[in-house]
Amino acid sequence: MENKEFQFKTNINCGGCVASVKPHLDSAEGVCEWNVDTTNKDKILTVKSEGISEEQVLEIIKKTGFKAEPIA
């Protein structure tokens, strides 16, 4: 499976929120790198994928209680 980069608009808006999702994204199979731009008004989450799908990333974010929508 090829490496992809996904971007999502989220409501992860501060360091505490990032800390809440960190263990879930860090331990997710297929995520090689990720970050949230909390300075952007859309709180852009960028995920560099090594096999994880966009849907799986959305599922992880939803499980942590945050919202995310893919940016086309």
Side-chain angles (χ1 to χ4, degrees):
M1 186 140 190
E2 71 202 68
N3 294 356
K4 293 187 174 155
E5 187 172 286
F6 303 120
Q7 289 197 309
F8 305 91
K9 220 184 331 186
T10 72
N11 63 346
I12 301 169
N13 60 12
C14 67
C17 301
V18 172
S20 297
V21 298
K22 182 175 178 23
H24 301 278
L25 285 171
D26 284 352
S27 65
E29 187 78 25
V31 173
C32 74
E33 193 182 311
W34 65 274
N35 76 311
V36 180
D37 182 358
T38 55
T39 60
N40 184 301
K41 71 175 176 56
D42 290 330
K43 312 304 179 206
I44 305 298
L45 165 65
T46 304
V47 176
K48 290 193 177 146
S49 151
E50 284 182 342
I52 195 169
S53 72
E54 197 172 52
E55 291 75 29
Q56 289 169 305
V57 174
L58 285 169
E59 203 54 44
I60 291 167
I61 300 303
K62 281 185 187 147
K63 276 187 200 156
T64 61
F66 292 98
K67 294 184 188 129
E69 62 182 72
I71 299 172

